[in-house]
């Protein structure tokens, strides 16, 4: 029987992942933890506890006490926020990972999911249809920490048999919990502002293309990777995950199909340089072949779902 720990359950990914895992593995077998309070639904459907992943002893104790077999470690400072506190962000992101790797090695929680990101690529990487294996010279703190993390994950797999699994998430778009401090956050904010104010001031320029994915697809694929037969996994660093690619202008045009008066202005800030260093589109054929990565949402389905769900929530 699997017993699962999710670290970072109050964040954008965690808040949806926990609920999905509970449907499959049973409410009581999915332990949600964070350093901040979770959404109500998480508290109501199963165990929640405050747990700081930076506290190694407590983490190890938790894994042993609850007989945990799988860990999803989603705790991280995102790209935009990390640039404001570079050393602290490096320390938090790396220590959070190293603690879970070590705790996995020393307990029976051998299976570990850790998210990497399109931020592992940099300005010298081919920008279009970025291959799985390519030049990687990230120039953001977040990207450097994600690339280092992938290397450490693979190292712990080879050296200590930790069952490390990871994907390089594109920007993730959801309506339940908003992201905090990322470069792709505009693609979530724009929908909320469209419903609330019928206008949006975008912090990226109109033709900045980035890879994005709807949260439902991201969650289903994450669980699929974790369920995959280990023999099918040719990679133990992190798999490219493409989703769809679009620009702020394209998403605004899509919103206008539903709200013809929606207006957008552009005022790029420091996150423009981050976006410019990332791929515009990604080749994820290795993940499709190895474990069946798929996606169901294109830009149209994504936009209509986001607008409908946010409207429903607000009214
Ligand atoms: N969405 C993340 C960010 O913008 C990228 O992984 O920081």
């Amino acid at each position: 029987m699997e017993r699962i720990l999710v670290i970072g359950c109050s964040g954008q990914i965690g808040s949806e992942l926990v609920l999905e895992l509970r449907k499959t593995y049973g409410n009581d077998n999915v332990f949600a933890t964070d350093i901040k309070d979770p959404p109500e639904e998480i508290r109501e459907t199963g165990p929640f506890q405050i747990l700081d992943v930076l506290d190694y002893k407590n983490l190890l104790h938790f894994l042993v006490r609850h007989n945990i077999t799988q860990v999803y470690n989603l705790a991280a400072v995102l790209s935009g926020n990390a640039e404001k506190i570079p050393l602290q962000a490096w320390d938090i992101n790396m220590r959070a990972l190293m603690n879970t790797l070590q705790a996995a090695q020393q307990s029976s929680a051998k299976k570990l999911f850790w998210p990497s990101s399109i931020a592992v690529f940099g300005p010298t990487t081919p920008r279009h249809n970025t291959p799985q294996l390519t030049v990687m010279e990230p120039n953001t703190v977040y990207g450097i920490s994600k690339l280092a993390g992938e290397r450490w994950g693979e190292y712990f797999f080879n050296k200590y048999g930790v069952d490390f699994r990871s994907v390089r998430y594109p920007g993730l778009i959801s309506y339940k919990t908003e992201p905090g401090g990322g470069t792709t956050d505009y693609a979530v904010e724009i929908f909320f502002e469209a419903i609330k104010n019928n206008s949006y001031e975008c912090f990226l320029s109109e033709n900045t293309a980035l890879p994005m994915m709807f949260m439902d697809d991201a969650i289903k694929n994450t669980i699929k990777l974790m369920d995959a037969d280990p023999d099918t996994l040719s990679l133990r660093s992190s798999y490219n995950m493409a989703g769809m690619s679009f620009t702020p202008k394209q998403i605004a045009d899509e919103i206008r199909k539903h709200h013809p008066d929606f207006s957008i202005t552009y005022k790029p800030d420091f996150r423009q340089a981050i976006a410019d260093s990332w791929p515009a589109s990604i080749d994820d054929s290795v993940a499709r072949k190895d474990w069946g990565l798929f996606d169901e949402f294109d830009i149209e389905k994504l936009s209509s779902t986001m607008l409908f769900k946010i409207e429903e929530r607000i009214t």
Side-chain angles (χ1 to χ4, degrees):
M1 190 178 63
E2 298 292 343
R3 291 173 62 88
I4 302 174
L5 167 63
V6 177
I7 298 164
C9 71
S10 308
Q12 193 202 10
I13 303 172
S15 57
E16 300 202 28
L17 179 69
V18 166
L19 299 178
E20 196 57 36
L21 287 169
R22 282 181 178 164
K23 279 190 213 154
T24 312
Y25 292 98
N27 287 354
D28 295 341
N29 294 320
V30 181
F31 295 79
T33 64
D34 203 301
I35 51 172
K36 48 180 196 251
D37 282 335
E40 240 172 70
E41 230 182 324
I42 292 212
R43 245 186 221 287
E44 283 167 2
T45 52
F48 166 79
Q49 195 176 307
I50 295 283
L51 179 77
D52 184 355
V53 64
L54 301 181
D55 181 342
Y56 181 72
K57 267 195 193 158
N58 250 335
L59 172 65
L60 185 60
H61 185 241
F62 192 100
L63 297 181
V64 174
R65 183 155 55 101
H66 296 288
N67 298 315
I68 300 294
T69 57
Q70 296 186 20
V71 177
Y72 290 77
N73 173 12
L74 308 171
V77 182
L78 290 186
S79 60
N81 280 350
E83 290 308 299
K84 297 178 195 154
I85 45 162
L87 296 184
Q88 213 182 328
W90 167 261
D91 180 56
I92 294 170
N93 289 357
M94 292 314 294
R95 248 185 330 128
L97 171 64
M98 298 314 282
N99 279 356
T100 41
L101 282 170
Q102 256 184 289
Q105 184 197 348
Q106 295 185 343
S107 71
S108 22
K110 285 281 175 275
K111 209 187 237 190
L112 172 60
F113 178 84
W114 176 82
S116 186
S117 158
I118 53 168
V120 290
F121 301 113
T124 52
T125 303
R127 257 179 81 70
H128 297 279
N129 215 18
T130 302
Q132 175 71 46
L133 296 174
T134 185
V135 178
M136 297 167 94
E137 296 186 312
N139 60 5
T140 62
V141 177
Y142 179 71
I144 299 169
S145 73
K146 287 294 181 191
L147 180 53
E150 288 185 8
R151 301 285 79 228
W152 274 110
E154 188 194 80
Y155 184 89
F156 267 71
F157 170 74
N158 287 326
K159 192 112 178 171
Y160 306 118
V162 171
D163 191 356
F164 180 83
R165 304 181 184 206
S166 174
V167 291
R168 294 170 179 154
Y169 283 131
L172 298 181
I173 300 175
S174 61
Y175 55 87
K176 286 188 182 155
T177 306
E178 290 185 60
T183 302
T184 56
D185 292 13
Y186 93 82
V188 177
E189 288 170 12
I190 194 169
F191 289 107
F192 278 89
E193 291 303 308
I195 298 296
K196 287 186 205 152
N197 303 315
N198 214 17
S199 68
Y200 180 59
E201 183 179 277
C202 186
F203 59 76
L204 297 181
S205 66
E206 63 180 333
N207 292 320
T208 308
L210 286 170
M212 302 277 181
M213 185 178 262
F214 189 57
M215 188 61 86
D216 283 25
D217 281 345
I219 300 283
K220 284 182 192 153
N221 278 298
T222 301
I223 296 174
K224 192 161 194 211
L225 169 63
M226 284 295 266
D227 285 346
D229 177 345
D231 295 337
T232 62
L233 305 179
S234 64
L235 283 172
R236 288 304 186 137
S237 50
S238 189
Y239 283 96
N240 277 6
M241 189 187 236
M244 63 198 100
S245 284
F246 57 73
T247 64
K249 183 176 182 312
Q250 284 170 318
I251 204 82
D253 288 345
E254 206 53 53
I255 291 173
R256 268 191 219 103
K257 288 185 189 167
H258 306 264
H259 298 266
D261 298 334
F262 174 70
S263 68
I264 182 164
T265 52
Y266 300 94
K267 198 176 171 198
D269 67 13
F270 71 101
R271 287 168 283 191
Q272 183 65 46
I274 301 178
D276 288 340
S277 77
W278 289 354
S281 61
I282 300 235
D283 173 5
D284 59 13
S285 50
V286 182
R288 285 176 192 271
K289 180 173 155 285
D290 280 9
W291 51 272
L293 171 72
F294 69 97
D295 38 57
E296 285 173 355
F297 282 77
D298 58 12
I299 186 169
E300 279 177 17
K301 195 169 168 197
L302 164 94
S303 306
S304 53
T305 307
M306 284 294 284
L307 292 169
F308 178 76
K309 291 289 185 183
I310 294 170
E311 201 151 14
E312 195 180 55
R313 268 185 56 172
I314 288 179
T315 52

